Amino acid sequence: MAAERLQFHELGLDDRLLKAVADLGWSQPTLIQEKAIPLALEGKDLLARARTGSGKTAAYAIPVIQRILSSKQSVREQAVRALVLVPTKELGQQVQTMMRQLATFCSRDVRVADISGKADVSTQRPILMEKPDVVVGTPSRILAHLNAQNLVLHSSLEMLVVDEADLIFSFGFEDDLKNLLCHLPKIYQSFLMSATFCEEVQALKELLLHNPVILKLQGSQLPDGTQLDQYSITCEEEDKFLLIYTLLKLHLVRGKTLVFVGAVDRSYRLKLFLEQFGIPACVLNSELPVQSRCHMITQFNQGLYDCIIATDEQSLVDPAGSSQTKGKEKKKGTEKGGKAKDKEYGVSRGVDFQNVANVINFDFPTSVESYIHRVGRTARADNSGTALSFISHTEQDLLAEVEEALSGEDGTSTLKPYEFKMEEIEGFRYRCRDAMRAVTKQAVREARLKEIKQELLNSEKLKTYFEDNPRDLQLLRHDKDLHPAVVKPHMRNVPDYLIPETLKGTGNPLSNNRRRRRLKSKPDGVLRSSFKKNIPGKNPLKSFRYKKGHAGKS
Ligand code: AMP
């Protein structure tokens, strides 16, 4: 029998915090919260390795808020008491949201400000002049404010959190971080959260932490097979498109899905390809203004979109944690074309995509770390999830690396083969080829420009962005009219005769709206080849079965 887990009310927290936790619907602390919160409340420094989605933000946010509430009982004077360093703007916003949620019932006593992105330094000055209790930001932004004396920490800071510490290094923030430490007081409590304990994190530990407690909670950095199903399927370039079309169009993939590709152009290629079949998808990459990206993630979390195609460029430019590149990363990633990338962008790391049912690696990640962080977007907290990786011939070695890193102690493989009979969907090949032909290089380029243009127009901070990125402004001025790929009406529907017998019943949503509504209302499920196998009232992920005759596993 598992040992009794501590409950939130047993942690000695302020009632206002307990109320917020209850409002969030959290019934009990996650493992890291259960371990970290009591230690943090004792005043210990912590170095915690926790897998993504383990509830690590609240593991430090709860004690930070608790300590501020306690401090303020004796010293009411307004001051910046906690600093949270994050590697990306997205994570900054997410941390702010989480902290504000937790401080809902003490929002006068605990004010949180995220200054990780958006406005320029001078615009943010008034925010800092009010001395928010918690300041969240990227190291470079915080340093800029410290240097401009908009932020003074040496007498007031009580707590420092470095979140996703390993990524802070791989994003090239090392120098900023070191310079920033000179502005801090001699004594403060520190929390270092990191997915990996790489060399740099060890070095930072020496620098920051005093006699820390080290929490290595999970042996594996991904949830086990009861919570997360991981599959791989070998397919070459054209088959990747054929398969993703089938999975999405026939609703074999159900629920919110993150599709990862290896480069920005590929994300537009895939989007234009899917568009022709009436399959909507958002594209998320570092070229888009931060407001657009955050807004997109928020809307995705609210359930507005089913599918995001994300470019995990970091894993290409600088495989986070890869031993070859550690410490040698450039400050800014560059793509082939030399276009500067936003270094504070990170889709697969840290960002809280909520209730993601599926992660599909359309292009396989280039490192184990990247695999873990991509796949870690699903099966978060207590939810289930599925990851499916398409593996081309050239990616086999990477798959072997991932398999080796993730295999169980008994040598069992974590990634099961996704036994999908490709020959059964041959009938779709012709239309897929047709759609692929329409996605020319020119169409991809135009879509990419159109998207940037649209998103910039959508973004309130248009001017700021253009000031920071004059090249994009130039590009836009020389932009031609867009010619989106021609969408042929017949491509939207799937004629019945093309659907393999074994996949019938998965539905052609556009030809039968009533059916579609019915299917939509079913719980999320993933990669099942038949809804008929769905056991009512059960999580379909747990009852995952291939229909007999279609695939080997039955
Ligand atoms: P994190 O690892 O901090 O990114 O958190 C992952 C997700 O878990 C977030 O959506 C949190 O809202 C959620 N979460 C955090 N703590 C709990 C908890 N005790 N119970 C349920 N969900 C939680």
Side-chain angles (χ1 to χ4, degrees), residues 508-509 511-521:
N508 175 352
S511 64
N512 186 343
N513 283 334
R514 264 189 31 219
R515 173 110 146 275
R516 184 188 185 193
R517 275 199 293 277
R518 187 167 56 79
L519 293 176
K520 279 256 168 192
S521 67

Side-chain angles (χ1 to χ4, degrees), residues 8 21 24-30 33 51-58 94 98 101 350-354 380-382:
F8 277 114
V21 164
L24 283 163
W26 299 353
S27 52
Q28 61 174 25
T30 62
Q33 290 164 3
R51 68 169 174 78
T52 50
S54 59
K56 67 180 169 59
T57 315
Q94 186 186 306
M98 169 106 308
Q101 280 172 336
V351 175
D352 192 13
F353 288 99
Q354 284 160 11
R380 287 167 81 86
D382 294 327

Side-chain angles (χ1 to χ4, degrees), residues 14 16 67-76 81:
D14 189 286
R16 291 166 286 180
R67 183 161 169 182
I68 292 171
L69 289 173
S70 307
S71 291
K72 282 197 151 177
Q73 281 181 349
S74 44
V75 187
R76 296 239 23 115
R81 291 182 156 86

Side-chain angles (χ1 to χ4, degrees), residues 495-511:
D496 213 42
Y497 67 88
L498 280 183
I499 304 177
E501 249 342 278
T502 46
L503 298 179
K504 285 217 167 111
T506 54
N508 175 352
L510 290 164
S511 64

Side-chain angles (χ1 to χ4, degrees), residues 100-278:
R100 285 188 176 166
Q101 280 172 336
L102 288 167
T104 307
F105 300 103
C106 49
S107 53
R108 282 180 172 209
D109 283 323
V110 184
R111 281 183 254 155
V112 185
D114 166 33
I115 52 155
S116 57
K118 298 168 248 170
D120 56 32
V121 173
S122 56
T123 319
Q124 289 177 337
R125 190 165 187 268
I127 304 172
L128 292 175
M129 290 294 105
E130 294 193 4
K131 299 186 180 158
D133 301 271
V134 183
V135 172
V136 183
T138 55
S140 58
R141 187 43 72 104
I142 298 285
L143 186 63
H145 282 295
L146 285 166
N147 287 336
Q149 297 194 330
N150 297 338
L151 182 63
V152 180
L153 296 172
H154 58 74
S155 57
S156 69
L157 193 83
E158 294 175 23
M159 284 160 290
L160 171 70
V161 180
V162 186
D163 200 351
E164 296 273 357
D166 51 343
L167 204 57
I168 283 190
F169 284 100
S170 60
F171 274 38
F173 283 127
E174 191 174 353
D175 293 342
D176 291 340
L177 183 62
K178 284 187 180 146
N179 289 332
L180 187 155
L181 296 180
C182 310
H183 294 262
L184 307 188
K186 275 215 169 82
I187 298 174
Y188 51 88
Q189 189 181 7
S190 302
F191 307 118
L192 204 60
M193 318 299 284
S194 187
T196 54
F197 286 172
C198 58
E199 270 170 48
E200 291 87 348
V201 172
Q202 296 292 349
L204 192 60
K205 176 187 141 200
E206 304 301 321
L207 212 61
L208 276 188
L209 306 177
H210 309 280
N211 212 6
V213 179
I214 299 172
L215 296 174
K216 290 183 189 175
L217 293 177
Q218 276 88 5
S220 159
Q221 293 177 59
L222 289 172
D224 65 22
T226 58
Q227 200 186 337
L228 171 69
D229 280 313
Q230 298 178 69
Y231 297 96
S232 69
I233 181 165
T234 305
C235 51
E236 298 309 322
E237 181 69 356
E238 187 176 284
D239 286 354
K240 286 186 176 184
F241 284 86
L242 176 60
L243 183 56
I244 195 125
Y245 158 77
T246 312
L247 294 176
L248 294 174
K249 192 68 188 177
L250 298 188
H251 294 277
L252 303 181
V253 167
R254 299 282 310 282
K256 287 196 270 177
T257 302
L258 272 177
V259 181
F260 281 103
V261 294
V264 177
D265 268 1
R266 273 181 82 67
S267 60
Y268 289 105
R269 192 175 180 75
L270 184 56
K271 182 182 160 66
L272 291 177
F273 169 80
L274 294 173
E275 246 172 38
Q276 297 175 74
F277 302 107

Side-chain angles (χ1 to χ4, degrees), residues 225 229 231 252 386 416-420 502-503 506 525-535 538-554:
D229 280 313
Y231 297 96
L252 303 181
T386 300
K416 293 166 274 187
Y418 183 53
E419 294 169 353
F420 192 95
T502 46
L503 298 179
T506 54
V526 192
L527 314 170
R528 289 161 299 111
S529 51
S530 169
F531 293 129
K532 289 175 194 162
K533 285 276 168 187
N534 220 351
I535 302 169
K538 258 192 147 184
N539 180 345
L541 288 160
K542 299 276 188 282
S543 60
F544 174 83
R545 287 289 181 276
Y546 293 88
K547 195 175 176 186
K548 258 196 179 141
H550 174 70
K553 185 173 177 273
S554 58

